[in-house]
């Protein structure tokens, strides 16, 4: 957790409460009818690097003082989001698990990438699969991002959010023909992933009557040293073309010059990567391939190095690479070939902007294990169950001085032994109803949520730039579920 800072206590402005908080506050408006204020709080600070604490040997004093993160502890021990007490937010929203974001933190994360990319022609392609909330997408588009898509529906959502399709990239190892037709009609960049994928792209171009700008997704066979489920750039991956097949694809593109224009090369190594020299290793290989492709007469303008930069999930203060660290490893290579650089960040833009807020249902023991049971579960946040991933957990409010500190598994109510949010966590024994958050939940959490055990997907809120709290997604309801079966 970040070091405690001097935060003024946030307060509700009571005169804005025009009716009881027990009434439905969200029937027509997405904004709260009350306003949470950041009394005497400083203006948002410019952030030079937001992924982790910086290496003292390479960080200036100015950059250190400018570091700011949305989730901090107040002097009296309460967890705050942009100086607003999470406890106060909990008391004024629906009594169910919910996702809480910081809109300013999203902005700071994007600005860190934009600062790092200065001097390069570039596209920041946000990976929609990480989090597909429409309001967040609209905000990212307003900040200058484009979108990276892995399905036709993600393309439709990107269009709805106002992204420029001619700056969007369509990835995937099993893209459907009808989705490729839409991509061709809209002028989206399309990555070629296989022989049959190329055939489908050619067919889509003919149906749409438009030439498609394509990049070859080359598997560089670089080990990203991450969980095998999120490694995508080694020889055993289902993604990309084998590098020894490159000539076959070049010949195929030449044979379909009326349908395809080869404009770039693409690779994607994986996710949660914490060593940027791996990106450089891959970029060196990709530059060699680009030289080979250009030697055959192709006008290659784009190098897409994918995404995958990791974050400090453990909140240990580890020195992890920043966007600038990542870009600096490939900068000279990109400039040496006069290329446009495409990057595809997802997790590093959105993960640390959010937490899943839960309430404690109770505490129990089986004689050998202690459990904190909460109302949230693997249905709302599956990463720990799916990847055995670690996400930092803490209580929202200071525990009673009498609360015994013990080691707990934090679990949900879903009828699966795999339903846990964290194992072996040292926590003060929480009271029934206490707030508990799972941090860094902005990426691959809500987007992977389910309705298993008929747990409805939760609502989402964010703290605005002015300190107000807005609802940015309605929670699903049982009544909404029943509507799927009406008229059948």
């Amino acid at each position: 957790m970040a070091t405690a800072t001097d935060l003024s206590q946030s307060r509700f402005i009571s005169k804005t409460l025009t009716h009881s908080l027990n009434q439905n506050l969200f029937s027509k408006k997405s904004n709260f009818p009350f306003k949470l204020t950041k009394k005497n709080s400083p203006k948002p600070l410019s952030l030079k690097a937001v992924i982790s604490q910086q290496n003292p040997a390479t960080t200036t004093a100015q950059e250190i003082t400018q570091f700011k993160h949305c989730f901090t502890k107040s002097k009296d021990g309460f967890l705050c989001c942009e100086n607003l007490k999470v406890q106060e937010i909990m008391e004024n929203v629906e009594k169910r698990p919910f996702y809480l974001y910081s809109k300013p933190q999203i902005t700071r994360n994007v600005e860190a990438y934009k600062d790092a990319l200065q001097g390069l022609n570039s596209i920041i392609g946000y990976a929609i699969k990480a989090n597909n909330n429409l309001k967040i997408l609209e905000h990212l588009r307003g900040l200058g991002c484009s979108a990276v898509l892995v399905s036709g529906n993600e393309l439709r959502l990107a269009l709805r959010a106002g992204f420029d399709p001619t700056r969007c990239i369509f990835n995937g190892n099993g893209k459907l023909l009808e989705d490729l037709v839409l991509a061709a009609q809209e002028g989206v960049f399309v990555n070629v992933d296989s022989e049959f994928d190329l055939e489908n792209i050619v067919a889509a171009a003919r149906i749409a009557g438009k030439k498609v700008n394509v990049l070859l997704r080359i598997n560089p066979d670089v080990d990203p040293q991450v969980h095998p489920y999120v490694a995508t750039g080694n020889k055993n991956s289902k993604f990309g073309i084998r590098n020894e097949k490159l000539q076959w694809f070049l010949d195929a593109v030449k044979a379909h010059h009326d349908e395809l224009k080869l404009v770039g090369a693409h690779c994607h190594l994986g996710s949660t990567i914490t060593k940027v020299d791996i990106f450089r290793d891959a970029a060196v290989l990709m530059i060699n391939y680009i030289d080979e492709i250009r030697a055959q007469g192709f006008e290659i303008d784009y190098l897409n190095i994918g995404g995958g930069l990791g974050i400090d999930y453990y909140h240990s203060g580890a020195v992890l690479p920043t966007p600038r660290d990542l870009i600096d490893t490939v900068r000279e290579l990109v400039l040496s070939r006069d290329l446009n650089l495409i990057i595809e960040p997802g997790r590093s833009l959105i993960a640390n902007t959010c937490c899943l807020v839960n309430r404690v249902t109770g505490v129990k023991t089986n004689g050998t294990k202690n459990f904190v049971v909460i109302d949230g579960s693997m249905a709302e946040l599956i990463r720990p169950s799916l990847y055995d991933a670690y996400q930092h957990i803490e209580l929202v409010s200071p525990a009673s001085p009498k609360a015994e500190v013990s080691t707990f598994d934090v679990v949900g109510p879903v009828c699966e032994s795999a339903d846990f949010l964290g194992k072996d966590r040292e926590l003060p024994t929480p009271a029934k109803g206490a707030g508990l958050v799972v941090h860094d939940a902005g990426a691959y959490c809500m987007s992977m949520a389910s309705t298993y055990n008929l747990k409805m997907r939760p609502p989402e809120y964010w703290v605005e730039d002015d300190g107000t709290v807005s609802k940015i997604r309605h929670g699903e309801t049982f009544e909404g579920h029943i509507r799927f079966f009406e008229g059948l």
Side-chain angles (χ1 to χ4, degrees):
M1 193 61 216
T3 304
T5 56
D6 186 5
L7 305 177
S8 57
Q9 295 185 14
S10 56
R11 303 229 181 245
F12 296 101
I13 301 179
S14 58
K15 66 181 180 181
T16 65
L17 292 172
T18 58
H19 56 283
S20 169
L21 290 174
N22 292 326
Q23 297 177 15
N24 181 5
L25 305 181
F26 311 105
S27 57
K28 294 184 179 179
K29 295 183 178 180
S30 61
N31 280 8
F32 280 29
F34 57 85
K35 184 172 182 177
L36 294 171
T37 64
K38 296 184 287 186
K39 186 177 180 181
N40 299 324
S41 62
K43 294 181 180 180
L45 299 175
S46 171
L47 194 68
K48 294 299 183 185
V50 297
I51 306 305
S52 68
Q53 294 183 9
Q54 301 305 297
N55 186 336
T58 60
T59 305
T60 67
Q62 182 182 16
E63 287 173 330
I64 292 174
T65 60
Q66 288 180 330
F67 184 90
K68 184 177 188 295
H69 188 265
C70 54
F71 289 102
T72 53
K73 280 288 185 67
S74 64
K75 291 178 66 176
D76 52 358
F78 285 84
L79 181 68
C80 297
C81 179
E82 298 293 347
N83 298 2
L84 307 183
K85 289 183 178 179
V86 176
Q87 181 66 48
E88 292 185 352
I89 298 174
M90 289 179 65
E91 292 168 357
N92 290 278
V93 300
E94 300 166 73
K95 299 298 187 284
R96 59 188 291 187
F98 64 92
Y99 281 97
L100 177 64
Y101 298 82
S102 161
K103 186 178 182 181
Q105 184 70 42
I106 297 173
T107 302
R108 293 192 289 266
N109 288 354
V110 173
E111 289 301 320
Y113 270 102
K114 291 168 72 173
D115 288 349
L117 287 162
Q118 288 182 4
L120 296 175
N121 294 320
S122 61
I123 294 176
I124 302 174
Y126 168 69
I128 288 183
K129 65 178 182 173
N131 187 308
N132 55 33
N133 183 289
L134 178 59
K135 303 301 291 184
I136 291 173
L137 296 183
E138 290 173 343
H139 181 51
L140 290 168
R141 182 259 303 158
L143 293 171
C145 294
S146 68
V148 175
L149 324 158
V150 292
S151 73
N153 280 339
E154 287 191 354
L155 171 53
R156 294 176 184 92
L157 186 62
L159 294 173
R160 179 70 66 88
F163 286 100
D164 178 358
T166 65
R167 289 171 54 83
C168 293
I169 304 97
F170 192 9
N171 292 336
N173 70 307
K175 298 183 286 290
L176 301 179
L177 178 60
E178 56 266 35
D179 296 336
L180 286 167
V181 171
L182 177 60
Q185 291 170 340
E186 297 292 340
V188 174
F189 290 110
V190 179
N191 277 319
V192 178
D193 192 87
S194 66
E195 293 87 344
F196 74 77
D197 194 38
L198 185 142
E199 293 175 3
N200 283 336
I201 297 168
V202 170
R206 291 171 177 168
I207 294 170
K210 291 188 176 181
K211 182 178 287 191
V212 179
N213 290 324
V214 298
L215 295 85
L216 295 179
R217 179 168 180 171
I218 301 171
N219 187 328
D221 193 17
V222 172
D223 180 8
Q225 302 175 36
V226 296
H227 191 289
Y229 288 5
V230 293
T232 59
N234 57 39
K235 64 182 179 181
N236 295 319
S237 173
K238 72 175 183 178
F239 298 102
I241 65 176
R242 303 196 312 274
N243 47 43
E244 64 265 26
K245 288 276 290 183
L246 176 60
Q247 189 59 53
W248 185 94
F249 282 91
L250 295 178
D251 292 340
V253 171
K254 289 177 183 177
H256 296 97
H257 54 82
D258 291 333
E259 296 87 8
L260 307 177
K261 181 181 180 181
L262 181 58
V263 298
H266 171 254
C267 70
H268 193 291
L269 304 180
S271 193
T272 68
I273 297 171
T274 58
K275 297 179 180 179
V276 291
D277 58 333
I278 294 170
F279 287 98
R280 179 174 177 81
D281 292 344
V284 169
L285 293 173
M286 296 301 294
I287 289 294
N288 290 334
Y289 292 133
I290 286 174
D291 288 344
E292 182 180 340
I293 295 168
R294 282 178 168 175
Q296 298 190 37
F298 292 98
E299 296 180 2
I300 298 296
D301 296 319
Y302 294 92
L303 170 61
N304 185 337
I305 61 170
L309 192 63
I311 67 167
D312 183 12
Y313 276 112
Y314 285 85
H315 288 213
S316 62
V319 178
L320 295 181
T322 68
R324 182 171 295 280
D325 294 331
L326 167 59
I327 301 304
D328 283 350
T329 63
V330 301
R331 182 183 303 276
E332 294 306 318
L333 291 169
V334 172
L335 290 172
S336 72
R337 300 303 192 274
D338 193 24
L339 290 164
N340 298 286
L341 179 65
I342 300 175
I343 57 171
E344 301 179 347
R347 183 187 319 274
S348 57
L349 282 183
I350 199 71
N352 70 350
T353 71
C354 173
C355 65
L356 175 65
V357 184
N358 312 270
R359 288 176 173 80
V360 173
T361 304
V363 177
K364 63 176 291 186
T365 181
N366 64 7
T368 58
K369 273 273 189 183
N370 299 318
F371 300 92
V372 173
V373 183
I374 59 175
D375 54 358
S377 70
M378 65 183 292
E380 292 84 7
L381 197 153
I382 199 173
R383 291 187 69 253
S385 300
L386 183 62
Y387 302 126
D388 199 26
Y390 181 98
Q391 292 185 228
H392 187 62
I393 291 173
E394 66 177 317
L395 298 177
V396 165
S397 303
S400 165
K402 298 179 181 179
E404 181 181 355
V405 176
S406 297
T407 301
F408 297 94
D409 284 5
V410 179
V411 301
V414 163
C415 193
E416 293 285 346
S417 295
D419 178 27
F420 64 91
L421 284 302
K423 291 185 174 180
D424 298 323
R425 304 302 177 88
E426 192 173 275
L427 295 167
T429 302
K432 181 178 180 180
L436 178 148
V437 301
V438 182
H439 280 284
D440 303 309
Y444 304 103
C445 292
M446 182 59 171
S447 65
M448 299 175 74
S450 74
T451 57
Y452 187 45
N453 283 197
L454 276 187
K455 288 181 99 300
M456 299 293 106
R457 278 180 278 257
E460 295 178 292
Y461 304 86
W462 68 13
V463 178
E464 302 266 13
D465 294 329
D466 64 358
T468 59
V469 177
S470 297
K471 191 176 193 180
I472 59 172
R473 178 171 176 152
H474 294 294
E476 296 179 3
T477 64
F478 178 76
E479 291 72 24
H481 178 76
I482 292 298
R483 282 197 290 271
F484 288 124
F485 307 97
E486 291 178 356
L488 299 180

